[in-house]
Amino acid sequence: MSLLASARPARLNALFPRDEFPQFVYLRKPETGLVMVRGRQGGTGSPFNIGETTMTRCTIRLADGTVGHAFVMGRSHEHAVTAAVCDAVLQGPQGSDLAEKLVAPLAEERSERERQRALQNAATKVDFFTMVRGDDD
Amino acid sequence: MYVAVKGGEKAIDAAHRLLKEERRGDPAIPEITVEQIGGQLSLAVDRVMTEGSLYDRELAAIAIRQARGDLIEAIFLIRASRTTLPRFGYSTPIETSEMLVRRRISAAFKDMPGGQILGPTFDYTHRLLEFGAETQAAEAPVAMAPADIDRAMPRVLDLIGAEGLIEPASAQPSEPQDLTREPLSFPAGRDLRLQSLVRGDEGFLLALGYSTQRGYGRSHPFAGEIRYGEVSVSFVPEELGFEIEIGSIDITECEMINQFKGSAEVPPQFTRGYGLSFGQCERKAMSMALVDRALRAAELDEEQTAPAQDEEFVLSHADNVQATGFVEHLKLPHYVDFQAELELLRRLRREAQGLHQEAAE
């Protein structure tokens, strides 16, 4: 669910286009609202409210009765619908096919993106060296 | 007597159309896109999200374009926009210790585990205008390290926390109060103060933070750790009953180390100030950490002498949407009020003149 939530809607759509969706009905049509994001005082202490983020939720049911949920940051209804359908399909017999076709590339892309960033950041790591004074005997 | 005056509609309509044309600028030049603002004016987007109190890059970029780059107007638009959406609930607290760090520095420790990662920063730039920056960017691609570094970034303050040299980060496991649900009241808990400071005006908090450094509420800070990067956001939907990740956000966190506090039971320890923002608002997070510490004066039994230590003063004036509303309302018609004052002044002057004449006779 984390991969589905963090994927770009356009990328999800490319990997799993709408015309490949199995038949489904909405139990809850996509709806956008707010989630208050919480942090911790001093980073590790008691919680406090930072500010809100947009989130879209959606629940669907496949013809075989499997229910799929999606809760994804942002306002894209398309993203939430795709994530909900994926959630349901991944639980059923077609799950392993979809995992291979969709989840595996998403996981790989995410870890590659994180690796690229880490390499960029590593290049900005300070390498301290000490100047030795010449007049110390 | 209240007199309703009508007749401005046509002028207002024309003014708004004129505003649209001014906002668009020269029609021969392509209109700036929301994606361009999101990508190339990303710190403006970060500020609008932080003070607008809504993490949504696209909405913030739309607001900045609509506001012609006036960030307080954009923040106002975001605050208004959020009121149109239902509230689904609260996230579980983000874990900044597990951040995918893009920048992480400490001014207190040189060689801490994980090291000093400068990341994308204006620090150490020469502040010289770069003419033709586009071509320069193409010439100097981003540097890449040959190998990945250890991504684990332990919290710097934990290094001295382990020895008991700094107070714990606080943990009264109570449900935090929410400024968007009940109005601010005093005295405010630290939870409410922090929420209010996150959305507070950067300029106001910068000035207050600066005042504490110049002696108005002394706190002798060191930037223990500043980190910027990505953290995941999780939420427990009622219908599922378990936690799921809904996405991730970029945040900046600043932990200040300040001078000591001890008691009969506890030997002297460093004290903490905490700052946090959406995106990369480093100046804001640092200012917030200074003001957070100053506002803990009462809790730490310190003498309260400075504006930054007065929570009613700070919190009541930190919100730039409220402030701009009250300041800018002065330009709305006050014709009747002003007529009443004119009338009063004329009467006082007539009475004063009458007294003069009586005295002369």
Side-chain angles (χ1 to χ4, degrees), chain B residues 310-352:
Chain B
D310 181 338
E311 74 168 16
E312 193 160 344
F313 177 77
V314 174
L315 302 186
S316 305
H317 300 119
D319 191 304
N320 54 27
V321 176
Q322 274 173 14
T324 204
F326 205 52
V327 169
E328 293 201 49
H329 103 282
L330 290 174
K331 69 191 171 186
L332 300 177
H334 284 68
Y335 307 136
V336 177
D337 296 315
F338 188 66
Q339 282 302 320
E341 293 235 342
L342 262 184
E343 199 55 44
L344 175 66
L345 180 65
R346 287 198 173 111
R347 203 179 71 225
L348 290 171
R349 286 169 60 94
R350 272 199 304 274
E351 283 171 11

mmCIF file of all heavy atoms in Angstrom, chain B residues 310-352:
data_model
loop_
_atom_site.group_PDB
_atom_site.id
_atom_site.type_symbol
_atom_site.label_atom_id
_atom_site.label_comp_id
_atom_site.label_asym_id
_atom_site.label_seq_id
_atom_site.Cartn_x
_atom_site.Cartn_y
_atom_site.Cartn_z
ATOM 1 N N ASP B 310 6.601 36.109 26.060
ATOM 2 C CA ASP B 310 5.207 36.386 26.409
ATOM 3 C C ASP B 310 4.297 35.631 25.434
ATOM 4 O O ASP B 310 4.103 36.060 24.297
ATOM 5 C CB ASP B 310 4.988 37.906 26.326
ATOM 6 C CG ASP B 310 3.573 38.305 26.691
ATOM 7 O OD1 ASP B 310 2.652 37.461 26.600
ATOM 8 O OD2 ASP B 310 3.376 39.470 27.059
ATOM 9 N N GLU B 311 3.763 34.492 25.874
ATOM 10 C CA GLU B 311 3.053 33.633 24.914
ATOM 11 C C GLU B 311 1.805 34.301 24.349
ATOM 12 O O GLU B 311 1.465 34.107 23.189
ATOM 13 C CB GLU B 311 2.731 32.265 25.512
ATOM 14 C CG GLU B 311 1.628 32.257 26.518
ATOM 15 C CD GLU B 311 1.168 30.829 26.851
ATOM 16 O OE1 GLU B 311 1.883 29.875 26.551
ATOM 17 O OE2 GLU B 311 0.078 30.706 27.421
ATOM 18 N N GLU B 312 1.147 35.110 25.150
ATOM 19 C CA GLU B 312 -0.056 35.760 24.634
ATOM 20 C C GLU B 312 0.320 36.750 23.531
ATOM 21 O O GLU B 312 -0.334 36.819 22.490
ATOM 22 C CB GLU B 312 -0.803 36.456 25.771
ATOM 23 C CG GLU B 312 -2.193 36.855 25.345
ATOM 24 C CD GLU B 312 -3.140 37.114 26.504
ATOM 25 O OE1 GLU B 312 -2.836 36.703 27.639
ATOM 26 O OE2 GLU B 312 -4.179 37.738 26.250
ATOM 27 N N PHE B 313 1.401 37.483 23.753
ATOM 28 C CA PHE B 313 1.877 38.428 22.739
ATOM 29 C C PHE B 313 2.311 37.688 21.477
ATOM 30 O O PHE B 313 1.905 38.027 20.365
ATOM 31 C CB PHE B 313 3.041 39.262 23.295
ATOM 32 C CG PHE B 313 3.638 40.203 22.291
ATOM 33 C CD1 PHE B 313 2.995 41.386 21.969
ATOM 34 C CD2 PHE B 313 4.828 39.897 21.652
ATOM 35 C CE1 PHE B 313 3.531 42.251 21.021
ATOM 36 C CE2 PHE B 313 5.375 40.748 20.703
ATOM 37 C CZ PHE B 313 4.720 41.934 20.391
ATOM 38 N N VAL B 314 3.132 36.647 21.647
ATOM 39 C CA VAL B 314 3.698 35.944 20.480
ATOM 40 C C VAL B 314 2.602 35.227 19.694
ATOM 41 O O VAL B 314 2.461 35.409 18.490
ATOM 42 C CB VAL B 314 4.780 34.933 20.924
ATOM 43 C CG1 VAL B 314 5.256 34.098 19.738
ATOM 44 C CG2 VAL B 314 5.957 35.652 21.562
ATOM 45 N N LEU B 315 1.810 34.411 20.396
ATOM 46 C CA LEU B 315 0.851 33.568 19.679
ATOM 47 C C LEU B 315 -0.305 34.385 19.095
ATOM 48 O O LEU B 315 -0.852 34.034 18.057
ATOM 49 C CB LEU B 315 0.324 32.452 20.583
ATOM 50 C CG LEU B 315 1.392 31.519 21.180
ATOM 51 C CD1 LEU B 315 0.736 30.372 21.926
ATOM 52 C CD2 LEU B 315 2.352 30.991 20.127
ATOM 53 N N SER B 316 -0.661 35.474 19.758
ATOM 54 C CA SER B 316 -1.781 36.271 19.244
ATOM 55 C C SER B 316 -1.390 37.076 18.004
ATOM 56 O O SER B 316 -2.259 37.578 17.299
ATOM 57 C CB SER B 316 -2.282 37.262 20.289
ATOM 58 O OG SER B 316 -2.612 36.618 21.467
ATOM 59 N N HIS B 317 -0.084 37.240 17.771
ATOM 60 C CA HIS B 317 0.326 38.090 16.649
ATOM 61 C C HIS B 317 1.131 37.348 15.591
ATOM 62 O O HIS B 317 1.606 37.953 14.642
ATOM 63 C CB HIS B 317 1.113 39.297 17.184
ATOM 64 C CG HIS B 317 0.313 40.126 18.133
ATOM 65 N ND1 HIS B 317 0.662 40.338 19.443
ATOM 66 C CD2 HIS B 317 -0.873 40.755 17.968
ATOM 67 C CE1 HIS B 317 -0.260 41.058 20.039
ATOM 68 N NE2 HIS B 317 -1.205 41.321 19.166
ATOM 69 N N ALA B 318 1.302 36.038 15.747
ATOM 70 C CA ALA B 318 2.168 35.286 14.831
ATOM 71 C C ALA B 318 1.470 34.920 13.521
ATOM 72 O O ALA B 318 2.129 34.698 12.515
ATOM 73 C CB ALA B 318 2.659 34.008 15.514
ATOM 74 N N ASP B 319 0.150 34.880 13.540
ATOM 75 C CA ASP B 319 -0.567 34.407 12.351
ATOM 76 C C ASP B 319 -0.713 35.544 11.334
ATOM 77 O O ASP B 319 -1.394 36.535 11.605
ATOM 78 C CB ASP B 319 -1.943 33.888 12.774
ATOM 79 C CG ASP B 319 -2.637 33.152 11.655
ATOM 80 O OD1 ASP B 319 -2.814 33.743 10.566
ATOM 81 O OD2 ASP B 319 -2.998 31.989 11.856
ATOM 82 N N ASN B 320 -0.086 35.370 10.163
ATOM 83 C CA ASN B 320 -0.115 36.499 9.226
ATOM 84 C C ASN B 320 -1.454 36.659 8.504
ATOM 85 O O ASN B 320 -1.743 37.734 7.983
ATOM 86 C CB ASN B 320 1.074 36.450 8.246
ATOM 87 C CG ASN B 320 1.168 35.134 7.517
ATOM 88 O OD1 ASN B 320 0.165 34.449 7.329
ATOM 89 N ND2 ASN B 320 2.372 34.781 7.103
ATOM 90 N N VAL B 321 -2.275 35.618 8.490
ATOM 91 C CA VAL B 321 -3.589 35.778 7.869
ATOM 92 C C VAL B 321 -4.487 36.631 8.779
ATOM 93 O O VAL B 321 -5.154 37.566 8.330
ATOM 94 C CB VAL B 321 -4.230 34.409 7.564
ATOM 95 C CG1 VAL B 321 -5.633 34.574 7.013
ATOM 96 C CG2 VAL B 321 -3.374 33.644 6.570
ATOM 97 N N GLN B 322 -4.436 36.335 10.070
ATOM 98 C CA GLN B 322 -5.182 37.176 11.026
ATOM 99 C C GLN B 322 -4.648 38.597 11.026
ATOM 100 O O GLN B 322 -5.411 39.567 11.005
ATOM 101 C CB GLN B 322 -5.021 36.618 12.443
ATOM 102 C CG GLN B 322 -6.019 35.535 12.779
ATOM 103 C CD GLN B 322 -5.709 34.883 14.133
ATOM 104 O OE1 GLN B 322 -4.924 35.393 14.922
ATOM 105 N NE2 GLN B 322 -6.331 33.758 14.365
ATOM 106 N N ALA B 323 -3.321 38.710 11.051
ATOM 107 C CA ALA B 323 -2.716 40.042 11.128
ATOM 108 C C ALA B 323 -3.060 40.868 9.902
ATOM 109 O O ALA B 323 -3.454 42.034 10.006
ATOM 110 C CB ALA B 323 -1.202 39.920 11.285
ATOM 111 N N THR B 324 -2.942 40.242 8.729
ATOM 112 C CA THR B 324 -3.209 41.005 7.511
ATOM 113 C C THR B 324 -4.691 41.358 7.433
ATOM 114 O O THR B 324 -5.052 42.434 6.971
ATOM 115 C CB THR B 324 -2.721 40.231 6.261
ATOM 116 O OG1 THR B 324 -2.494 41.177 5.238
ATOM 117 C CG2 THR B 324 -3.688 39.202 5.778
ATOM 118 N N GLY B 325 -5.538 40.502 7.937
ATOM 119 C CA GLY B 325 -6.970 40.788 7.943
ATOM 120 C C GLY B 325 -7.276 42.030 8.747
ATOM 121 O O GLY B 325 -8.020 42.914 8.298
ATOM 122 N N PHE B 326 -6.650 42.144 9.909
ATOM 123 C CA PHE B 326 -6.983 43.281 10.771
ATOM 124 C C PHE B 326 -6.310 44.567 10.303
ATOM 125 O O PHE B 326 -6.909 45.635 10.333
ATOM 126 C CB PHE B 326 -6.618 42.966 12.228
ATOM 127 C CG PHE B 326 -7.442 43.766 13.199
ATOM 128 C CD1 PHE B 326 -8.826 43.778 13.104
ATOM 129 C CD2 PHE B 326 -6.841 44.506 14.200
ATOM 130 C CE1 PHE B 326 -9.602 44.530 13.998
ATOM 131 C CE2 PHE B 326 -7.593 45.254 15.094
ATOM 132 C CZ PHE B 326 -8.977 45.263 14.986
ATOM 133 N N VAL B 327 -5.074 44.444 9.845
ATOM 134 C CA VAL B 327 -4.403 45.643 9.331
ATOM 135 C C VAL B 327 -5.095 46.119 8.058
ATOM 136 O O VAL B 327 -5.424 47.289 7.911
ATOM 137 C CB VAL B 327 -2.903 45.372 9.067
ATOM 138 C CG1 VAL B 327 -2.268 46.505 8.281
ATOM 139 C CG2 VAL B 327 -2.163 45.175 10.387
ATOM 140 N N GLU B 328 -5.360 45.190 7.150
ATOM 141 C CA GLU B 328 -5.883 45.594 5.845
ATOM 142 C C GLU B 328 -7.369 45.972 5.877
ATOM 143 O O GLU B 328 -7.857 46.605 4.955
ATOM 144 C CB GLU B 328 -5.616 44.508 4.803
ATOM 145 C CG GLU B 328 -4.125 44.360 4.526
ATOM 146 C CD GLU B 328 -3.840 43.690 3.192
ATOM 147 O OE1 GLU B 328 -4.425 44.108 2.178
ATOM 148 O OE2 GLU B 328 -3.036 42.748 3.178
ATOM 149 N N HIS B 329 -8.061 45.595 6.934
ATOM 150 C CA HIS B 329 -9.469 45.995 6.985
ATOM 151 C C HIS B 329 -9.584 47.516 7.112
ATOM 152 O O HIS B 329 -10.598 48.101 6.796
ATOM 153 C CB HIS B 329 -10.213 45.289 8.121
ATOM 154 C CG HIS B 329 -10.464 46.136 9.321
ATOM 155 N ND1 HIS B 329 -9.480 46.409 10.235
ATOM 156 C CD2 HIS B 329 -11.571 46.809 9.733
ATOM 157 C CE1 HIS B 329 -9.979 47.204 11.175
ATOM 158 N NE2 HIS B 329 -11.238 47.455 10.904
ATOM 159 N N LEU B 330 -8.486 48.156 7.510
ATOM 160 C CA LEU B 330 -8.507 49.616 7.655
ATOM 161 C C LEU B 330 -8.766 50.325 6.335
ATOM 162 O O LEU B 330 -9.181 51.479 6.319
ATOM 163 C CB LEU B 330 -7.172 50.103 8.248
ATOM 164 C CG LEU B 330 -6.927 49.740 9.714
ATOM 165 C CD1 LEU B 330 -5.524 50.150 10.128
ATOM 166 C CD2 LEU B 330 -7.960 50.434 10.605
ATOM 167 N N LYS B 331 -8.516 49.604 5.215
ATOM 168 C CA LYS B 331 -8.736 50.273 3.935
ATOM 169 C C LYS B 331 -10.168 50.100 3.429
ATOM 170 O O LYS B 331 -10.545 50.680 2.421
ATOM 171 C CB LYS B 331 -7.724 49.786 2.910
ATOM 172 C CG LYS B 331 -7.916 48.357 2.494
ATOM 173 C CD LYS B 331 -6.710 47.888 1.690
ATOM 174 C CE LYS B 331 -6.796 46.396 1.457
ATOM 175 N NZ LYS B 331 -5.607 45.864 0.810
ATOM 176 N N LEU B 332 -10.960 49.319 4.131
ATOM 177 C CA LEU B 332 -12.364 49.179 3.724
ATOM 178 C C LEU B 332 -13.127 50.417 4.196
ATOM 179 O O LEU B 332 -12.709 51.100 5.122
ATOM 180 C CB LEU B 332 -12.956 47.906 4.342
ATOM 181 C CG LEU B 332 -12.245 46.611 3.929
ATOM 182 C CD1 LEU B 332 -12.864 45.428 4.657
ATOM 183 C CD2 LEU B 332 -12.304 46.430 2.419
ATOM 184 N N PRO B 333 -14.254 50.686 3.553
ATOM 185 C CA PRO B 333 -14.959 51.933 3.893
ATOM 186 C C PRO B 333 -15.298 52.044 5.377
ATOM 187 O O PRO B 333 -15.877 51.134 5.958
ATOM 188 C CB PRO B 333 -16.233 51.846 3.044
ATOM 189 C CG PRO B 333 -15.851 50.991 1.891
ATOM 190 C CD PRO B 333 -14.895 49.983 2.435
ATOM 191 N N HIS B 334 -14.886 53.151 5.974
ATOM 192 C CA HIS B 334 -15.233 53.492 7.352
ATOM 193 C C HIS B 334 -15.899 54.865 7.359
ATOM 194 O O HIS B 334 -15.723 55.643 8.281
ATOM 195 C CB HIS B 334 -13.974 53.539 8.229
ATOM 196 C CG HIS B 334 -13.442 52.187 8.600
ATOM 197 N ND1 HIS B 334 -12.886 51.337 7.687
ATOM 198 C CD2 HIS B 334 -13.382 51.541 9.798
ATOM 199 C CE1 HIS B 334 -12.485 50.225 8.300
ATOM 200 N NE2 HIS B 334 -12.781 50.318 9.579
ATOM 201 N N TYR B 335 -16.650 55.162 6.294
ATOM 202 C CA TYR B 335 -17.162 56.525 6.109
ATOM 203 C C TYR B 335 -17.993 56.998 7.281
ATOM 204 O O TYR B 335 -17.877 58.133 7.732
ATOM 205 C CB TYR B 335 -17.979 56.623 4.813
ATOM 206 C CG TYR B 335 -17.238 56.123 3.592
ATOM 207 C CD1 TYR B 335 -17.844 55.305 2.657
ATOM 208 C CD2 TYR B 335 -15.904 56.487 3.392
ATOM 209 C CE1 TYR B 335 -17.156 54.848 1.542
ATOM 210 C CE2 TYR B 335 -15.205 56.031 2.273
ATOM 211 C CZ TYR B 335 -15.832 55.206 1.362
ATOM 212 O OH TYR B 335 -15.153 54.749 0.278
ATOM 213 N N VAL B 336 -18.862 56.111 7.790
ATOM 214 C CA VAL B 336 -19.776 56.535 8.845
ATOM 215 C C VAL B 336 -19.016 56.746 10.160
ATOM 216 O O VAL B 336 -19.201 57.764 10.841
ATOM 217 C CB VAL B 336 -20.920 55.509 9.015
ATOM 218 C CG1 VAL B 336 -21.840 55.909 10.156
ATOM 219 C CG2 VAL B 336 -21.703 55.388 7.723
ATOM 220 N N ASP B 337 -18.106 55.807 10.469
ATOM 221 C CA ASP B 337 -17.278 55.968 11.680
ATOM 222 C C ASP B 337 -16.515 57.284 11.624
ATOM 223 O O ASP B 337 -16.425 58.015 12.602
ATOM 224 C CB ASP B 337 -16.224 54.851 11.785
ATOM 225 C CG ASP B 337 -16.865 53.505 11.949
ATOM 226 O OD1 ASP B 337 -17.799 53.392 12.757
ATOM 227 O OD2 ASP B 337 -16.434 52.563 11.264
ATOM 228 N N PHE B 338 -15.957 57.531 10.428
ATOM 229 C CA PHE B 338 -15.127 58.724 10.320
ATOM 230 C C PHE B 338 -15.970 59.989 10.440
ATOM 231 O O PHE B 338 -15.558 60.965 11.068
ATOM 232 C CB PHE B 338 -14.348 58.719 8.997
ATOM 233 C CG PHE B 338 -13.337 59.817 8.928
ATOM 234 C CD1 PHE B 338 -12.240 59.824 9.783
ATOM 235 C CD2 PHE B 338 -13.500 60.884 8.048
ATOM 236 C CE1 PHE B 338 -11.306 60.853 9.750
ATOM 237 C CE2 PHE B 338 -12.577 61.919 8.014
ATOM 238 C CZ PHE B 338 -11.467 61.898 8.866
ATOM 239 N N GLN B 339 -17.185 59.964 9.864
ATOM 240 C CA GLN B 339 -18.080 61.120 9.999
ATOM 241 C C GLN B 339 -18.359 61.380 11.472
ATOM 242 O O GLN B 339 -18.374 62.532 11.917
ATOM 243 C CB GLN B 339 -19.401 60.868 9.259
ATOM 244 C CG GLN B 339 -19.305 61.054 7.747
ATOM 245 C CD GLN B 339 -18.838 62.439 7.348
ATOM 246 O OE1 GLN B 339 -19.252 63.427 7.952
ATOM 247 N NE2 GLN B 339 -17.940 62.517 6.382
ATOM 248 N N ALA B 340 -18.563 60.324 12.237
ATOM 249 C CA ALA B 340 -18.864 60.480 13.658
ATOM 250 C C ALA B 340 -17.680 61.134 14.378
ATOM 251 O O ALA B 340 -17.865 62.034 15.199
ATOM 252 C CB ALA B 340 -19.182 59.121 14.272
ATOM 253 N N GLU B 341 -16.460 60.701 14.012
ATOM 254 C CA GLU B 341 -15.280 61.287 14.654
ATOM 255 C C GLU B 341 -15.097 62.748 14.266
ATOM 256 O O GLU B 341 -14.719 63.586 15.085
ATOM 257 C CB GLU B 341 -14.023 60.494 14.279
ATOM 258 C CG GLU B 341 -14.045 59.100 14.847
ATOM 259 C CD GLU B 341 -12.817 58.754 15.687
ATOM 260 O OE1 GLU B 341 -11.796 59.443 15.568
ATOM 261 O OE2 GLU B 341 -12.915 57.796 16.470
ATOM 262 N N LEU B 342 -15.358 63.028 12.969
ATOM 263 C CA LEU B 342 -15.272 64.422 12.499
ATOM 264 C C LEU B 342 -16.221 65.316 13.282
ATOM 265 O O LEU B 342 -15.861 66.407 13.720
ATOM 266 C CB LEU B 342 -15.680 64.489 11.026
ATOM 267 C CG LEU B 342 -14.581 64.507 9.962
ATOM 268 C CD1 LEU B 342 -15.240 64.674 8.597
ATOM 269 C CD2 LEU B 342 -13.592 65.634 10.211
ATOM 270 N N GLU B 343 -17.440 64.785 13.449
ATOM 271 C CA GLU B 343 -18.495 65.525 14.170
ATOM 272 C C GLU B 343 -18.031 65.813 15.604
ATOM 273 O O GLU B 343 -18.153 66.935 16.097
ATOM 274 C CB GLU B 343 -19.767 64.678 14.165
ATOM 275 C CG GLU B 343 -21.040 65.410 14.452
ATOM 276 C CD GLU B 343 -21.224 66.571 13.493
ATOM 277 O OE1 GLU B 343 -20.995 66.393 12.270
ATOM 278 O OE2 GLU B 343 -21.548 67.654 13.986
ATOM 279 N N LEU B 344 -17.451 64.771 16.220
ATOM 280 C CA LEU B 344 -16.987 64.896 17.602
ATOM 281 C C LEU B 344 -15.878 65.940 17.698
ATOM 282 O O LEU B 344 -15.885 66.813 18.572
ATOM 283 C CB LEU B 344 -16.472 63.539 18.095
ATOM 284 C CG LEU B 344 -15.845 63.521 19.482
ATOM 285 C CD1 LEU B 344 -16.894 63.846 20.547
ATOM 286 C CD2 LEU B 344 -15.220 62.157 19.769
ATOM 287 N N LEU B 345 -14.929 65.868 16.762
ATOM 288 C CA LEU B 345 -13.794 66.799 16.778
ATOM 289 C C LEU B 345 -14.280 68.241 16.602
ATOM 290 O O LEU B 345 -13.828 69.154 17.289
ATOM 291 C CB LEU B 345 -12.804 66.425 15.662
ATOM 292 C CG LEU B 345 -11.579 67.325 15.570
ATOM 293 C CD1 LEU B 345 -10.714 67.202 16.819
ATOM 294 C CD2 LEU B 345 -10.756 66.994 14.327
ATOM 295 N N ARG B 346 -15.243 68.425 15.679
ATOM 296 C CA ARG B 346 -15.762 69.785 15.454
ATOM 297 C C ARG B 346 -16.401 70.325 16.724
ATOM 298 O O ARG B 346 -16.234 71.495 17.067
ATOM 299 C CB ARG B 346 -16.774 69.767 14.302
ATOM 300 C CG ARG B 346 -16.089 69.587 12.951
ATOM 301 C CD ARG B 346 -16.999 70.014 11.804
ATOM 302 N NE ARG B 346 -16.243 69.982 10.558
ATOM 303 C CZ ARG B 346 -16.448 69.107 9.569
ATOM 304 N NH1 ARG B 346 -17.426 68.220 9.681
ATOM 305 N NH2 ARG B 346 -15.709 69.147 8.491
ATOM 306 N N ARG B 347 -17.147 69.431 17.424
ATOM 307 C CA ARG B 347 -17.823 69.878 18.644
ATOM 308 C C ARG B 347 -16.796 70.269 19.710
ATOM 309 O O ARG B 347 -16.917 71.306 20.338
ATOM 310 C CB ARG B 347 -18.746 68.784 19.171
ATOM 311 C CG ARG B 347 -19.861 69.349 20.048
ATOM 312 C CD ARG B 347 -20.785 68.256 20.556
ATOM 313 N NE ARG B 347 -20.111 67.436 21.551
ATOM 314 C CZ ARG B 347 -20.168 66.101 21.567
ATOM 315 N NH1 ARG B 347 -20.860 65.447 20.668
ATOM 316 N NH2 ARG B 347 -19.536 65.432 22.510
ATOM 317 N N LEU B 348 -15.754 69.431 19.843
ATOM 318 C CA LEU B 348 -14.719 69.729 20.850
ATOM 319 C C LEU B 348 -14.049 71.063 20.547
ATOM 320 O O LEU B 348 -13.770 71.855 21.443
ATOM 321 C CB LEU B 348 -13.662 68.606 20.863
ATOM 322 C CG LEU B 348 -14.132 67.274 21.427
ATOM 323 C CD1 LEU B 348 -13.083 66.190 21.195
ATOM 324 C CD2 LEU B 348 -14.434 67.401 22.920
ATOM 325 N N ARG B 349 -13.795 71.295 19.241
ATOM 326 C CA ARG B 349 -13.136 72.557 18.863
ATOM 327 C C ARG B 349 -14.046 73.759 19.136
ATOM 328 O O ARG B 349 -13.586 74.796 19.595
ATOM 329 C CB ARG B 349 -12.730 72.518 17.391
ATOM 330 C CG ARG B 349 -11.520 71.610 17.144
ATOM 331 C CD ARG B 349 -11.301 71.369 15.664
ATOM 332 N NE ARG B 349 -11.067 72.610 14.951
ATOM 333 C CZ ARG B 349 -9.839 73.103 14.699
ATOM 334 N NH1 ARG B 349 -8.768 72.460 15.106
ATOM 335 N NH2 ARG B 349 -9.712 74.233 14.033
ATOM 336 N N ARG B 350 -15.364 73.566 18.862
ATOM 337 C CA ARG B 350 -16.315 74.668 19.125
ATOM 338 C C ARG B 350 -16.327 74.977 20.618
ATOM 339 O O ARG B 350 -16.278 76.143 21.027
ATOM 340 C CB ARG B 350 -17.722 74.270 18.668
ATOM 341 C CG ARG B 350 -18.018 74.584 17.206
ATOM 342 C CD ARG B 350 -19.523 74.597 16.945
ATOM 343 N NE ARG B 350 -20.207 73.362 17.326
ATOM 344 C CZ ARG B 350 -20.304 72.301 16.532
ATOM 345 N NH1 ARG B 350 -19.773 72.304 15.315
ATOM 346 N NH2 ARG B 350 -20.935 71.225 16.957
ATOM 347 N N GLU B 351 -16.347 73.903 21.440
ATOM 348 C CA GLU B 351 -16.378 74.103 22.895
ATOM 349 C C GLU B 351 -15.108 74.796 23.362
ATOM 350 O O GLU B 351 -15.155 75.696 24.175
ATOM 351 C CB GLU B 351 -16.527 72.748 23.597
ATOM 352 C CG GLU B 351 -17.961 72.237 23.520
ATOM 353 C CD GLU B 351 -18.091 70.780 24.016
ATOM 354 O OE1 GLU B 351 -17.112 70.275 24.601
ATOM 355 O OE2 GLU B 351 -19.149 70.193 23.810
ATOM 356 N N ALA B 352 -13.954 74.353 22.805
ATOM 357 C CA ALA B 352 -12.678 74.946 23.197
ATOM 358 C C ALA B 352 -12.656 76.427 22.842
ATOM 359 O O ALA B 352 -12.222 77.274 23.630
ATOM 360 C CB ALA B 352 -11.526 74.217 22.520
#
